[in-house]
Amino acid sequence: MKLQLLPSTFDENGMASPRQHLSCFVVDDAVAIDAGSLAMAASAVQKKQIRDVVLTHAHLDHIAGLPLFIDDLFSSLDAPVCVHALPEIIETLERDIFNWEIYPRFSELENANGAVMRYQPFAVGDEFSVKHLRLKSIAVNHKVSTVGFVVSDGQTKFALSGDTAEIDGFWQILNAEKNLSALLVECAFPNELEELAGVSHHLTPKTLKRELEKFNQKQCLIYVVNIKPMYRDEVVRQLGELEIENLQILEVGQIYEW
Ligand SMILES: [Zn+2]
């Protein structure tokens, strides 16, 4: 299975910066998990192949590229883009984004081939298929309804926490999964902003280390994601000091294969 974090932010030379504002993970060039930078950074092949977008939650950094992605493809789509999300997230998107004020309600529009966007709701705890993948949604602890996922292609499996603070149920479910190859876990703020992390339901290096003590799949590679761009250097430094086994930072644009 192939996974790539699409870039979203540029340095002073116009090159992709490791300081990421937006979150969008593309699996096998065919399925997007979150859509932060989907329109802005998907390759031509990805734009042609991605017709399924799975959302962890509706915060802007995770959905910003979705309206623009459908807009770009509007006239060329021969099948609708399917947005897989919790019912309350779909409600939020329709009310606050695709409401004709912020952007068109694509779910009501058609091109010459038919519908251009549709929703596929799932519930917390559901297992469902998206293309060749099987996903299991798991509740996590964020300020709004949010899920993480276990994603399997039948041979390899990885897990993604989404945005979250301290959680127990998530680890219990992951501990019961066999042969998890990789875990993508958030760590938004540095230790000195623990209070802000608390009120906004995110992790710091210190709280992440405590969380990982609940995770018993010691062979699993751990990749940190969703670091707030302004605090990236500090978070990376503090994570390094903790010397957590198998832990690295997920690099922007790099293709990971498990
Ligand atoms: Zn969030």
mmCIF file of all heavy atoms in Angstrom, residues 117-137:
data_model
loop_
_atom_site.group_PDB
_atom_site.id
_atom_site.type_symbol
_atom_site.label_atom_id
_atom_site.label_comp_id
_atom_site.label_asym_id
_atom_site.label_seq_id
_atom_site.Cartn_x
_atom_site.Cartn_y
_atom_site.Cartn_z
ATOM 1 N N MET A 117 -21.264 15.091 -7.300
ATOM 2 C CA MET A 117 -20.843 14.864 -5.910
ATOM 3 C C MET A 117 -21.954 14.128 -5.178
ATOM 4 O O MET A 117 -23.130 14.422 -5.386
ATOM 5 C CB MET A 117 -20.611 16.210 -5.223
ATOM 6 C CG MET A 117 -20.253 16.115 -3.756
ATOM 7 S SD MET A 117 -20.254 17.782 -3.039
ATOM 8 C CE MET A 117 -19.667 17.429 -1.398
ATOM 9 N N ARG A 118 -21.561 13.162 -4.358
ATOM 10 C CA ARG A 118 -22.560 12.518 -3.517
ATOM 11 C C ARG A 118 -21.947 12.206 -2.160
ATOM 12 O O ARG A 118 -20.720 12.228 -2.009
ATOM 13 C CB ARG A 118 -23.130 11.262 -4.179
ATOM 14 C CG ARG A 118 -22.179 10.095 -4.256
ATOM 15 C CD ARG A 118 -22.842 8.901 -4.942
ATOM 16 N NE ARG A 118 -21.941 7.762 -4.966
ATOM 17 C CZ ARG A 118 -21.875 6.835 -4.018
ATOM 18 N NH1 ARG A 118 -22.650 6.889 -2.948
ATOM 19 N NH2 ARG A 118 -21.013 5.836 -4.115
ATOM 20 N N TYR A 119 -22.801 11.935 -1.200
ATOM 21 C CA TYR A 119 -22.325 11.622 0.148
ATOM 22 C C TYR A 119 -22.583 10.152 0.466
ATOM 23 O O TYR A 119 -23.611 9.598 0.081
ATOM 24 C CB TYR A 119 -23.071 12.477 1.186
ATOM 25 C CG TYR A 119 -22.750 13.942 1.097
ATOM 26 C CD1 TYR A 119 -23.653 14.845 0.535
ATOM 27 C CD2 TYR A 119 -21.539 14.439 1.578
ATOM 28 C CE1 TYR A 119 -23.372 16.196 0.462
ATOM 29 C CE2 TYR A 119 -21.240 15.788 1.509
ATOM 30 C CZ TYR A 119 -22.161 16.662 0.952
ATOM 31 O OH TYR A 119 -21.869 18.003 0.868
ATOM 32 N N GLN A 120 -21.651 9.576 1.196
ATOM 33 C CA GLN A 120 -21.833 8.206 1.683
ATOM 34 C C GLN A 120 -21.591 8.236 3.196
ATOM 35 O O GLN A 120 -20.439 8.222 3.641
ATOM 36 C CB GLN A 120 -20.837 7.277 0.982
ATOM 37 C CG GLN A 120 -21.004 5.809 1.322
ATOM 38 C CD GLN A 120 -22.324 5.247 0.840
ATOM 39 O OE1 GLN A 120 -22.655 5.345 -0.340
ATOM 40 N NE2 GLN A 120 -23.101 4.703 1.752
ATOM 41 N N PRO A 121 -22.673 8.346 3.985
ATOM 42 C CA PRO A 121 -22.454 8.426 5.439
ATOM 43 C C PRO A 121 -22.017 7.091 6.033
ATOM 44 O O PRO A 121 -22.379 6.036 5.530
ATOM 45 C CB PRO A 121 -23.839 8.829 5.978
ATOM 46 C CG PRO A 121 -24.817 8.521 4.908
ATOM 47 C CD PRO A 121 -24.085 8.405 3.604
ATOM 48 N N PHE A 122 -21.233 7.167 7.092
ATOM 49 C CA PHE A 122 -20.916 5.971 7.892
ATOM 50 C C PHE A 122 -21.052 6.359 9.353
ATOM 51 O O PHE A 122 -21.019 7.551 9.686
ATOM 52 C CB PHE A 122 -19.512 5.440 7.562
ATOM 53 C CG PHE A 122 -18.396 6.409 7.849
ATOM 54 C CD1 PHE A 122 -17.917 6.610 9.143
ATOM 55 C CD2 PHE A 122 -17.804 7.136 6.811
ATOM 56 C CE1 PHE A 122 -16.890 7.513 9.400
ATOM 57 C CE2 PHE A 122 -16.769 8.039 7.069
ATOM 58 C CZ PHE A 122 -16.321 8.226 8.367
ATOM 59 N N ALA A 123 -21.211 5.364 10.210
ATOM 60 C CA ALA A 123 -21.327 5.632 11.647
ATOM 61 C C ALA A 123 -20.007 5.290 12.335
ATOM 62 O O ALA A 123 -19.186 4.547 11.789
ATOM 63 C CB ALA A 123 -22.454 4.795 12.233
ATOM 64 N N VAL A 124 -19.834 5.822 13.532
ATOM 65 C CA VAL A 124 -18.661 5.462 14.339
ATOM 66 C C VAL A 124 -18.671 3.953 14.564
ATOM 67 O O VAL A 124 -19.701 3.385 14.911
ATOM 68 C CB VAL A 124 -18.698 6.200 15.694
ATOM 69 C CG1 VAL A 124 -17.661 5.637 16.651
ATOM 70 C CG2 VAL A 124 -18.480 7.693 15.490
ATOM 71 N N GLY A 125 -17.555 3.314 14.321
ATOM 72 C CA GLY A 125 -17.450 1.864 14.516
ATOM 73 C C GLY A 125 -17.749 1.062 13.261
ATOM 74 O O GLY A 125 -17.509 -0.138 13.223
ATOM 75 N N ASP A 126 -18.276 1.724 12.222
ATOM 76 C CA ASP A 126 -18.591 1.012 10.975
ATOM 77 C C ASP A 126 -17.328 0.533 10.280
ATOM 78 O O ASP A 126 -16.286 1.179 10.342
ATOM 79 C CB ASP A 126 -19.318 1.950 9.990
ATOM 80 C CG ASP A 126 -20.815 1.964 10.220
ATOM 81 O OD1 ASP A 126 -21.276 1.282 11.156
ATOM 82 O OD2 ASP A 126 -21.512 2.660 9.461
ATOM 83 N N GLU A 127 -17.476 -0.593 9.588
ATOM 84 C CA GLU A 127 -16.457 -1.030 8.629
ATOM 85 C C GLU A 127 -17.065 -0.899 7.257
ATOM 86 O O GLU A 127 -18.218 -1.300 7.038
ATOM 87 C CB GLU A 127 -16.083 -2.486 8.882
ATOM 88 C CG GLU A 127 -15.127 -2.657 10.044
ATOM 89 C CD GLU A 127 -14.529 -4.058 10.079
ATOM 90 O OE1 GLU A 127 -13.952 -4.493 9.055
ATOM 91 O OE2 GLU A 127 -14.664 -4.699 11.130
ATOM 92 N N PHE A 128 -16.334 -0.339 6.309
ATOM 93 C CA PHE A 128 -16.909 -0.130 4.973
ATOM 94 C C PHE A 128 -15.809 -0.165 3.915
ATOM 95 O O PHE A 128 -14.631 0.030 4.214
ATOM 96 C CB PHE A 128 -17.688 1.190 4.911
ATOM 97 C CG PHE A 128 -16.911 2.405 5.356
ATOM 98 C CD1 PHE A 128 -16.296 3.228 4.415
ATOM 99 C CD2 PHE A 128 -16.794 2.727 6.707
ATOM 100 C CE1 PHE A 128 -15.573 4.351 4.814
ATOM 101 C CE2 PHE A 128 -16.064 3.842 7.110
ATOM 102 C CZ PHE A 128 -15.455 4.659 6.170
ATOM 103 N N SER A 129 -16.234 -0.420 2.674
ATOM 104 C CA SER A 129 -15.285 -0.497 1.567
ATOM 105 C C SER A 129 -15.235 0.824 0.826
ATOM 106 O O SER A 129 -16.268 1.461 0.605
ATOM 107 C CB SER A 129 -15.685 -1.592 0.577
ATOM 108 O OG SER A 129 -15.584 -2.843 1.208
ATOM 109 N N VAL A 130 -14.044 1.216 0.434
ATOM 110 C CA VAL A 130 -13.850 2.369 -0.438
ATOM 111 C C VAL A 130 -12.853 1.911 -1.489
ATOM 112 O O VAL A 130 -11.691 1.633 -1.165
ATOM 113 C CB VAL A 130 -13.295 3.582 0.330
ATOM 114 C CG1 VAL A 130 -13.079 4.755 -0.616
ATOM 115 C CG2 VAL A 130 -14.233 3.985 1.467
ATOM 116 N N LYS A 131 -13.326 1.786 -2.728
ATOM 117 C CA LYS A 131 -12.497 1.192 -3.792
ATOM 118 C C LYS A 131 -11.961 -0.157 -3.311
ATOM 119 O O LYS A 131 -12.709 -0.979 -2.824
ATOM 120 C CB LYS A 131 -11.384 2.150 -4.187
ATOM 121 C CG LYS A 131 -11.880 3.251 -5.098
ATOM 122 C CD LYS A 131 -10.916 3.367 -6.255
ATOM 123 C CE LYS A 131 -11.502 4.123 -7.403
ATOM 124 N NZ LYS A 131 -10.459 4.768 -8.190
ATOM 125 N N HIS A 132 -10.629 -0.345 -3.415
ATOM 126 C CA HIS A 132 -10.042 -1.636 -3.038
ATOM 127 C C HIS A 132 -9.707 -1.693 -1.547
ATOM 128 O O HIS A 132 -9.142 -2.671 -1.075
ATOM 129 C CB HIS A 132 -8.764 -1.867 -3.851
ATOM 130 C CG HIS A 132 -7.724 -0.813 -3.603
ATOM 131 N ND1 HIS A 132 -7.935 0.526 -3.883
ATOM 132 C CD2 HIS A 132 -6.483 -0.884 -3.067
ATOM 133 C CE1 HIS A 132 -6.859 1.218 -3.549
ATOM 134 N NE2 HIS A 132 -5.967 0.386 -3.049
ATOM 135 N N LEU A 133 -10.043 -0.640 -0.808
ATOM 136 C CA LEU A 133 -9.668 -0.570 0.606
ATOM 137 C C LEU A 133 -10.844 -0.910 1.512
ATOM 138 O O LEU A 133 -12.006 -0.705 1.144
ATOM 139 C CB LEU A 133 -9.171 0.843 0.940
ATOM 140 C CG LEU A 133 -8.002 1.368 0.120
ATOM 141 C CD1 LEU A 133 -7.720 2.823 0.477
ATOM 142 C CD2 LEU A 133 -6.755 0.509 0.347
ATOM 143 N N ARG A 134 -10.502 -1.369 2.710
ATOM 144 C CA ARG A 134 -11.496 -1.610 3.747
ATOM 145 C C ARG A 134 -11.136 -0.670 4.899
ATOM 146 O O ARG A 134 -9.984 -0.632 5.353
ATOM 147 C CB ARG A 134 -11.371 -3.077 4.172
ATOM 148 C CG ARG A 134 -12.492 -3.574 4.984
ATOM 149 C CD ARG A 134 -13.663 -4.083 4.154
ATOM 150 N NE ARG A 134 -14.748 -4.397 5.095
ATOM 151 C CZ ARG A 134 -16.021 -4.116 4.896
ATOM 152 N NH1 ARG A 134 -16.414 -3.538 3.787
ATOM 153 N NH2 ARG A 134 -16.926 -4.418 5.807
ATOM 154 N N LEU A 135 -12.114 0.118 5.347
ATOM 155 C CA LEU A 135 -11.851 1.078 6.421
ATOM 156 C C LEU A 135 -12.711 0.755 7.635
ATOM 157 O O LEU A 135 -13.868 0.340 7.490
ATOM 158 C CB LEU A 135 -12.172 2.513 5.969
ATOM 159 C CG LEU A 135 -11.083 3.220 5.163
ATOM 160 C CD1 LEU A 135 -11.119 2.779 3.713
ATOM 161 C CD2 LEU A 135 -11.248 4.723 5.247
ATOM 162 N N LYS A 136 -12.123 0.975 8.802
ATOM 163 C CA LYS A 136 -12.889 0.870 10.054
ATOM 164 C C LYS A 136 -12.799 2.230 10.727
ATOM 165 O O LYS A 136 -11.705 2.766 10.908
ATOM 166 C CB LYS A 136 -12.267 -0.207 10.947
ATOM 167 C CG LYS A 136 -13.042 -0.426 12.242
ATOM 168 C CD LYS A 136 -12.250 -1.296 13.199
ATOM 169 C CE LYS A 136 -12.292 -2.761 12.804
ATOM 170 N NZ LYS A 136 -11.571 -3.605 13.788
ATOM 171 N N SER A 137 -13.950 2.811 11.072
ATOM 172 C CA SER A 137 -13.915 4.130 11.717
ATOM 173 C C SER A 137 -13.903 3.966 13.239
ATOM 174 O O SER A 137 -14.588 3.098 13.781
ATOM 175 C CB SER A 137 -15.117 4.971 11.272
ATOM 176 O OG SER A 137 -16.283 4.526 11.911
#
